[in-house]
Amino acid sequence: MKDLHDVIIRPVLTEKAYEMYGDKRYVFEVPVTATKTDIKRAVEAVFADDGVKVESVHTLRTIGKMKRQGRTQGRTAEVKKAYVQLTKDSKPIKFFEGMAQ
């Protein structure tokens, strides 16, 4: 990856992701070519002001489904998600603080 800000595309904001915020686990959508070390460096660099330290990264890759409309067929976009676990002594990410209940 060239720029660390290109590794994190967007946060995944779902009910399952909201439940994990209390355990300092966050979900991000990342490019399919991103590696776990790229994701770890990017999260620590982007949220460096918050004092974030990453303990582990788990990735999940979803292959696009076949769709068709009439005679035309194609695939939906492929998605890769990263589940990021912060260390116990790390501070939570401020962006997500108001979302968890």
Side-chain angles (χ1 to χ4, degrees):
M1 304 262 65
K2 296 178 182 175
D3 188 19
L4 293 177
H5 289 278
D6 293 336
V7 175
I8 299 173
I9 296 175
R10 68 178 151 254
V12 176
L13 304 174
T14 60
E15 290 181 17
K16 182 179 177 182
Y18 289 146
E19 292 173 2
M20 292 189 288
Y21 292 163
D23 299 330
K24 294 184 181 177
R25 292 190 72 188
Y26 301 96
V27 186
F28 298 100
E29 188 175 325
V30 295
V32 178
T33 57
T35 62
K36 291 182 180 184
T37 54
D38 289 339
I39 296 165
K40 180 179 178 177
R41 285 188 202 136
V43 170
E44 288 179 348
V46 170
F47 301 108
D49 296 339
D50 297 341
V52 171
K53 297 291 180 194
V54 176
E55 181 178 330
S56 65
V57 176
H58 298 278
T59 57
L60 173 84
R61 190 168 166 180
T62 306
I63 297 175
K65 299 189 324 190
M66 288 296 294
K67 297 287 185 179
R68 48 178 298 193
Q69 183 162 4
R71 289 187 289 174
T72 307
Q73 59 180 342
R75 285 192 176 270
T76 58
E78 191 171 335
V79 177
K80 186 173 186 178
K81 294 180 196 173
Y83 290 83
V84 178
Q85 174 71 50
L86 303 184
T87 58
K88 292 183 180 181
D89 59 338
S90 175
K91 295 180 181 176
I93 300 175
K94 290 181 183 176
F95 176 78
F96 298 103
E97 280 183 2
M99 296 179 194
Q101 291 189 23

